[in-house]
Amino acid sequence: MTSIEKRVQDIKEDLDFFEDELQKYEYIIDLGKKLEDLEEKYKTPENIVHGCTSQVWLVCEKKDNKLFFKGTSDAVIVKGLVYIILNIFSNSSIEELKEVNMDIVYELGLSEVITPNRQSGVIGMIKKIKEYALKA
Amino acid sequence: MFKEDFPYFKNSEITYLDNAATTQKPKSVINAEMDYYENYCANTHRSSFGDANKATLNYENARVSLQKFINAPKKEEIIFTKGVTESINFIANSFAKKFEKVIISSLEHHSNITPWHMQGRSLSKGLEVVSCNENLDFDFRDYENILKENPNSFVSITHISNAFGKIHDIKAIIQLAHKYNSVVMIDAAQSLAHMSVDVQDLDVDFFAMSGHKTFGPTGVGAIYIKEIFLKEVDTYQTGGATINEVDFDSSTLLDSPYKFEAGTQNIAGVIGFAKALDYLSNIGYEKIEKQELILYEYLDEQLSKLPNIKFYNTIENSIGSRSFNFKNISHDDIGILVDKMKVALRVGHHCAQPIMKQLNIKGTIRVSLAFYNTKEDIDKLIKALKKALKMLA
């Protein structure tokens, strides 16, 4: 199991703890509130994630052979999802990120918000993360 | 209880308030489609055996149903399409491209914007946009100024805004356009679900209609073309069913409507669409409009009690859809949470990004009603919104 797969499993376990769907989203809202603020200077058009109905910004930093991500959104639940995605993918090796399978996030069971439709911001984020890795 | 006519409401626990996106289908529509596939599935206008004749007859009867429904003088003026988007693209490419200027309004949805961009038209370069006032009313003064400067234009305007439910006074819009020798197409995507239409009374030149937004099947719609324009409209695509005679040097086309309906059409869909029109006729628009007004006023009254709600228009001259936001709360968050509470509505830009940009918003929360909705549906919505607001506070 790669470190990314391991982190997905950990988050899945956290989310599976909630039997009630609304409680799960309360938890995601709380995660959104925990997300570190992204400085205004990073909220530029090139950092916008395409495919989001809400505004999502994603910033990448390279240290040694690893990529670190920062991001935020103007919607609270989406912020929570950004928190989850950053936790899964940040601090990963470029090689591992290049090989990321988009389907990995479906395991989180958030199919209503992480859908393969054209408005899915989460898929857009992972695509952008992969692009950063391929360019790094 | 109109809901009893709709199997969806028996099978689903969802409080369905996304009728501007698509409507639910009555049992009679579903049965008619099933009947075609199960009992007489054959192609139209080609073969002459019994089932083929029956399919052709029912298909052509559907054309007459729609003709009568909108009071078109002739059945040749009714062309079936995939829907409003195809109807607009058809007329844009086969007729309106000959015009120097096209006039739209700022409340158009993308289906009545992008076809013009594809022709290379942009603001003031072949495309003129009539503005709306603070209450999203069509600005007739601006419209007349544009027409004065650009007579002989093609005007393409929505009847009812999908994003805000705003009803344009299309009769006045058409009259003014004709005064300046312009030709008018009305995008009636949202119309037939809410109000009766008489194309002769309106004196409209082109009228684009949707099946699935009118309790009919998806993938079917129509365009009414006033007879005097039938010969001026070029064929959009040709092939099977459009042809009179073909050899390897040339082809001659049939007359309207056949020359405009290339290939095998959505036969079951067209037959189902006619059943939806029958269903509406049996209830009658008087009853439908009365029921919708009660619901619309109740919706507005209940929503208005919610804290920090922001509307963009009053409910005067509006129907069906109510669009709003809450201060400092993302419409996306509301959309996700009310979905968890089994309430279906739409959040976002509603395929009308230009007006959202004009209002300086990313989108709205849109509740869109049909006559089968109830006050209980609205109560469930309000309860879900209150809970979502509490969670997001």
Side-chain angles (χ1 to χ4, degrees):
Chain A
M1 191 182 273
T2 65
S3 58
I4 289 176
E5 284 165 349
K6 171 81 176 64
R7 289 177 212 151
V8 169
Q9 279 310 312
D10 289 346
I11 291 167
K12 186 179 176 337
E13 276 171 28
D14 287 348
L15 292 171
D16 284 349
F17 177 75
F18 301 101
E19 278 179 17
D20 180 74
E21 279 281 283
L22 280 180
Q23 279 179 355
K24 192 189 281 184
Y25 280 87
E26 266 173 345
Y27 174 70
I28 295 171
I29 290 168
D30 286 342
L31 292 181
K33 288 175 183 167
K34 274 163 63 176
L35 189 70
E36 241 175 78
D37 278 343
L38 187 71
E39 289 172 63
E40 283 301 314
K41 66 175 179 182
Y42 292 121
K43 292 181 182 175
T44 57
E46 58 268 29
N47 289 332
I48 283 183
V49 176
H50 294 289
C52 297
T53 50
S54 333
Q55 297 256 76
V56 173
W57 294 269
L58 187 70
V59 182
C60 176
E61 272 176 32
K62 186 178 167 187
K63 271 182 212 161
D64 302 325
N65 196 34
K66 283 184 166 182
L67 295 185
F68 293 82
F69 300 100
K70 286 193 284 194
T72 194
S73 170
D74 53 1
V76 180
I77 295 175
V78 181
K79 253 186 179 176
L81 296 173
V82 172
Y83 182 94
I84 289 172
I85 296 296
L86 297 186
N87 261 280
I88 293 172
F89 295 106
S90 202
N91 192 11
S92 299
S93 74
I94 293 167
E95 288 315 307
E96 202 180 341
L97 287 168
K98 276 183 187 171
E99 298 302 319
V100 162
N101 177 357
M102 298 284 175
D103 293 344
I104 199 167
V105 291
Y106 297 129
E107 288 176 30
L108 295 175
L110 296 169
S111 58
E112 301 84 356
V113 275
I114 305 175
T115 56
N117 75 23
R118 60 187 169 181
Q119 293 185 331
S120 176
V122 176
I123 298 293
M125 280 184 75
I126 301 168
K127 273 186 185 161
K128 199 158 174 122
I129 284 170
K130 207 164 172 174
E131 274 169 29
Y132 278 129
L134 290 169
K135 278 188 219 156
Chain B
M1 274 297 285
F2 297 112
K3 277 189 181 176
E4 285 168 10
D5 299 334
F6 294 78
Y8 174 84
F9 296 113
K10 285 188 196 117
N11 301 329
S12 172
E13 295 173 358
I14 300 297
T15 301
Y16 190 79
L17 296 165
D18 193 23
N19 295 286
T22 197
T23 50
Q24 298 305 327
K25 321 304 171 197
K27 185 75 179 154
S28 58
V29 169
I30 297 165
N31 284 349
E33 281 215 77
M34 223 157 56
D35 183 36
Y36 166 74
Y37 284 121
E38 286 186 350
N39 298 313
Y40 63 100
C41 180
N43 212 330
T44 55
H45 305 109
R46 291 163 172 82
S47 312
S48 54
F49 55 87
D51 283 347
N53 288 341
K54 185 176 177 183
T56 303
L57 186 69
N58 286 354
Y59 183 89
E60 288 306 317
N61 283 343
R63 196 187 308 279
V64 175
S65 293
L66 184 53
Q67 176 209 341
K68 287 182 178 159
F69 197 81
I70 59 168
N71 195 29
K74 295 190 170 178
K75 71 171 194 148
E76 290 75 13
E77 296 170 311
I78 304 291
I79 321 297
F80 286 114
T81 63
K82 280 196 301 188
V84 162
T85 300
E86 191 184 35
S87 294
I88 295 175
N89 275 280
F90 165 35
I91 300 306
N93 289 297
S94 300
F95 181 77
K97 67 180 176 194
K98 301 163 194 164
F99 288 75
E100 200 179 314
K101 287 283 170 75
V102 169
I103 300 169
I104 63 171
S105 85
S106 59
L107 275 180
E108 302 307 322
H109 65 154
H110 298 163
S111 292
N112 194 22
I113 300 173
T114 51
W116 312 116
H117 289 166
M118 291 301 118
Q119 289 183 357
R121 298 173 192 272
S122 57
L123 204 58
S124 300
K125 290 177 181 159
L127 188 67
E128 300 291 331
V129 181
V130 181
S131 54
C132 54
N133 71 12
E134 283 172 1
N135 191 30
L136 304 180
D137 289 303
F138 186 84
D139 185 342
F140 273 91
R141 192 184 293 178
D142 187 34
Y143 179 48
E144 184 151 20
N145 286 338
I146 291 173
L147 282 169
K148 257 183 207 164
E149 280 177 30
N150 305 282
N152 308 305
S153 291
F154 189 82
V155 176
S156 186
I157 303 279
T158 189
H159 188 181
I160 301 170
S161 142
N162 72 319
F164 295 95
K166 202 79 207 175
I167 307 166
H168 283 157
D169 182 353
I170 54 169
K171 194 166 180 180
I173 287 170
I174 293 161
Q175 275 174 355
L176 206 53
H178 287 167
K179 185 178 159 191
Y180 292 95
N181 200 31
S182 294
V183 177
V184 186
M185 173 161 64
I186 295 297
D187 169 354
Q190 301 291 334
S191 307
L192 300 183
H194 303 290
M195 58 173 68
S196 66
V197 164
D198 182 330
V199 292
Q200 291 190 66
D201 178 55
L202 291 168
D203 194 25
V204 65
D205 304 308
F206 297 86
F207 196 74
M209 294 163 279
S210 165
H212 77 97
K213 293 186 200 290
T214 316
F215 313 100
T218 59
V220 64
I223 178 93
Y224 158 79
I225 304 177
K226 198 191 266 176
E227 192 188 15
I228 54 165
F229 295 109
L230 280 175
K231 288 211 185 314
E232 293 181 48
V233 176
D234 295 331
T235 48
Y236 179 43
Q237 48 191 355
T238 62
T242 66
I243 298 305
N244 184 26
E245 199 170 325
V246 180
D247 59 34
F248 285 119
D249 292 322
S250 63
S251 307
T252 53
L253 297 175
L254 293 165
D255 286 333
S256 179
Y258 309 109
K259 70 173 179 181
F260 298 123
E261 293 179 0
T264 297
Q265 298 297 295
N266 182 355
I267 302 165
V270 164
I271 292 167
F273 187 13
K275 283 287 172 194
L277 302 176
D278 286 348
Y279 178 80
L280 288 170
S281 298
N282 288 337
I283 296 170
Y285 277 108
E286 202 180 319
K287 212 184 244 183
I288 287 170
E289 285 180 32
K290 197 174 158 193
Q291 169 71 357
E292 278 202 32
L293 185 64
I294 292 168
L295 290 171
Y296 202 47
E297 285 179 347
Y298 184 69
L299 171 69
D300 184 58
E301 185 192 312
Q302 296 304 310
L303 284 173
S304 300
K305 290 179 190 165
L306 297 175
N308 298 319
I309 193 163
K310 158 102 182 129
F311 296 110
Y312 302 92
N313 57 304
T314 60
I315 61 169
E316 279 74 40
N317 299 323
S318 301
I319 199 164
S321 297
R322 199 80 184 106
S323 224
F324 54 91
N325 270 311
F326 294 102
K327 198 179 166 193
N328 297 329
I329 288 177
S330 160
H331 51 79
D332 275 332
D333 287 333
I334 296 283
I336 291 168
L337 291 178
V338 299
D339 170 45
K340 298 289 117 204
M341 293 179 259
K342 299 192 181 343
V343 174
L345 44 70
R346 183 162 165 191
V347 296
H349 53 59
H350 318 299
C351 298
Q353 285 183 13
I355 186 65
M356 299 296 158
K357 283 176 190 162
Q358 202 177 307
L359 293 168
N360 202 23
I361 51 176
K362 289 280 162 205
T364 67
I365 302 154
R366 182 189 70 185
V367 177
S368 53
L369 301 167
F371 67 92
Y372 49 53
N373 286 119
T374 59
K375 283 190 175 179
E376 287 73 36
D377 290 339
I378 294 168
D379 292 339
K380 281 182 191 164
L381 162 79
I382 299 294
K383 202 174 160 190
L385 286 173
K386 279 182 180 166
K387 170 100 180 163
L389 289 169
K390 201 173 158 194
M391 285 175 74
L392 293 164

